Amino acid sequence: MTNVLIIYTGGTIGMVTDPETGVLVPFNFDQITDNVPELKRLDYNFKVHSFDPLIDSSNMSPDIYKELVSLIEENYEKYDGFVILHGSDTMSFTASALSFMIEGLDKPIILTGSQLPVNGIRTDAKENLITALEIAAEKKRGKAMVPEVCIYFDYKLFRGNRSFKYNSDKFEAFRSPNYPVLAEAGVYLEFDKHNILKPGEGPVKFHKKLDSAIGVLKLYPGISPHIVKAALCSDCKAIIMETFGSGNTSTQKWFLDLLRGAISDGKLILNISQCKVGTVELGRYETSRELKEMGVVSGFDMTFEAAVTKLMYLFGNVRSKKKIAELLETNLRGELTLS
């Protein structure tokens, strides 16, 4: 029998509406089949591990990422796949973090959640949970069909570190514009085998060191020197600079001088675009040529979520800043497309 571990961290998917107050309250997830009786018809075994206390996804942190990785490591040989039930707001951050923290993955780790509680009449919770379990259990010639960290939501399977939440009102909550959907659930589960990562060849490695000393500088027309200086002089090791278009910034001398000063002080600056579709191309225009020359690192088409968690992972596990800069521009887990 195929064995799947369900890890319930919290979120709407594990809630029910109290009929007296109308307030959402968590239910005992060990009794999930009472709320989703269809699970009894699945032809594999699953076990539930619930976090105690449950965690609102807005309170997710690197410590919880480490706890999740430790739990998966402890159970890795016992189960064929893992389903993590998670609040949708920060699901892409968690999926991205896990993708970097688990190296050489050869089993599915599928995150899912819902926009409505499981006992709602029009709930999306049941379909998301059931199909996530099916994907986690899916095999071909005895090997996992999707040996990577993914998000399943509203009939689509996304690579976790390519996704972001874009809608809080619709069931279609996630998108992945810079990478194809890995599977779609219709009458049949259709997998895009060409775009799914190959399983790791060596032994799987679990990395639990993260460093969250990361700042963010989001540019806008008219941003003042003291705002830029405050971001660049903050107590952090790296700064994610969200730029315009294909990586462009102001060419005013004061701005470029502040960037050079931060780099001279040992800070790493990672350039990602504010655009959701497309990639950073340093040097393509005059407005980004000087960035490339001074040592700003290209994030290519990484999402903000992937950029944050990749920096956490690299600063936690790599000592050389030069090596970190090199690895940021390297496709480690399918998180970016090299130009």
Side-chain angles (χ1 to χ4, degrees):
M1 291 286 287
T2 299
N3 298 301
V4 179
L5 178 63
I6 300 173
I7 302 170
Y8 176 46
T9 66
T12 303
I13 195 169
M15 301 288 181
V16 292
T17 305
D18 186 311
E20 295 183 3
T21 65
V23 174
L24 292 179
V25 293
F27 68 89
N28 183 351
F29 220 88
D30 290 329
Q31 299 171 343
I32 180 60
T33 53
D34 293 342
N35 286 280
V36 191
E38 295 90 342
L39 293 175
K40 297 175 183 177
R41 297 167 60 186
L42 296 176
D43 60 348
Y44 42 83
N45 297 320
F46 63 87
K47 183 180 177 183
V48 177
H49 175 95
S50 293
F51 271 49
D52 186 16
L54 297 175
I55 302 156
D56 187 287
S57 74
S58 297
N59 289 320
M60 282 290 164
S61 68
D63 285 339
I64 298 169
Y65 301 157
K66 296 173 192 176
E67 189 174 346
L68 278 168
V69 169
S70 295
L71 184 60
I72 292 169
E73 182 181 20
E74 290 167 10
N75 291 280
Y76 197 75
E77 298 304 324
K78 302 176 188 175
Y79 294 93
D80 301 284
F82 301 85
V83 170
I84 299 175
L85 306 178
H86 193 292
S88 61
D89 286 350
T90 63
M91 189 183 293
S92 291
F93 286 96
T94 301
S96 297
L98 295 181
S99 75
F100 296 117
M101 296 170 74
I102 304 175
E103 182 181 356
L105 185 64
D106 62 356
K107 296 180 181 182
I109 299 175
I110 312 298
L111 285 83
T112 194
S114 65
Q115 298 285 60
L116 291 175
V118 72
N119 69 339
I121 294 174
R122 296 187 305 105
T123 184
D124 56 333
K126 291 184 179 182
E127 196 284 323
N128 285 349
L129 173 58
I130 291 168
T131 307
L133 283 165
E134 289 184 326
I135 292 170
E138 188 76 18
K139 293 183 180 182
K140 184 176 182 180
R141 300 189 185 97
K143 295 185 178 181
M145 179 65 78
V146 189
E148 55 174 293
V149 182
C150 297
I151 286 176
Y152 178 78
F153 226 91
D154 192 44
Y155 303 103
K156 291 182 174 65
L157 182 70
F158 307 96
R159 176 166 297 160
N161 58 34
R162 290 285 194 155
S163 69
F164 61 89
K165 184 176 180 181
Y166 89 103
N167 198 312
S168 61
D169 290 332
K170 294 184 177 181
F171 292 146
E172 185 193 355
F174 290 86
R175 282 186 177 173
S176 171
N178 286 321
Y179 200 78
V181 170
L182 300 182
E184 290 197 55
V187 175
Y188 302 101
L189 268 173
E190 299 286 348
F191 293 91
D192 185 348
K193 302 180 183 71
H194 298 292
N195 288 307
I196 295 172
L197 287 177
K198 299 292 185 290
E201 295 181 358
V204 63
K205 297 178 182 177
F206 299 90
H207 304 280
K208 298 170 199 168
K209 293 180 181 178
L210 297 173
D211 191 330
S212 58
I214 299 159
V216 179
L217 172 61
K218 185 163 187 170
L219 302 183
Y220 55 88
I223 192 169
S224 65
H226 73 272
I227 295 295
V228 174
K229 189 174 182 179
L232 295 176
C233 294
S234 59
D235 185 19
C236 60
K237 297 177 182 178
I239 294 160
I240 298 172
M241 182 169 65
E242 293 192 72
T243 57
F244 310 120
S246 58
N248 303 313
T249 67
S250 167
T251 56
Q252 295 181 76
K253 185 176 184 301
W254 67 263
F255 179 77
L256 297 176
D257 285 346
L258 285 174
L259 293 183
R260 286 192 188 93
I263 292 171
S264 296
D265 289 341
K267 287 187 170 66
L268 187 151
I269 300 178
L270 177 65
N271 184 342
I272 67 170
S273 176
Q274 294 178 24
C275 297
K276 295 299 186 182
V277 182
T279 187
V280 166
E281 297 179 73
L282 288 180
R284 180 180 181 186
Y285 295 99
E286 180 69 21
T287 47
S288 67
R289 180 180 59 80
E290 288 196 57
L291 302 179
K292 185 175 183 180
E293 292 175 354
M294 73 175 68
V296 171
V297 178
S298 175
F300 295 95
D301 58 351
M302 273 195 292
T303 63
F304 176 72
E305 293 85 347
V308 168
T309 53
K310 187 173 183 179
L311 280 167
M312 286 183 182
Y313 162 71
L314 290 176
F315 273 98
N317 293 277
V318 180
R319 291 186 179 182
S320 165
K321 195 160 290 184
K322 181 180 179 181
K323 185 65 174 177
I324 290 173
E326 177 186 323
L327 291 172
L328 280 170
E329 294 186 338
T330 302
N331 183 22
L332 299 181
R333 310 281 196 270
E335 74 280 5
L336 59 82
T337 309
L338 295 171
S339 299

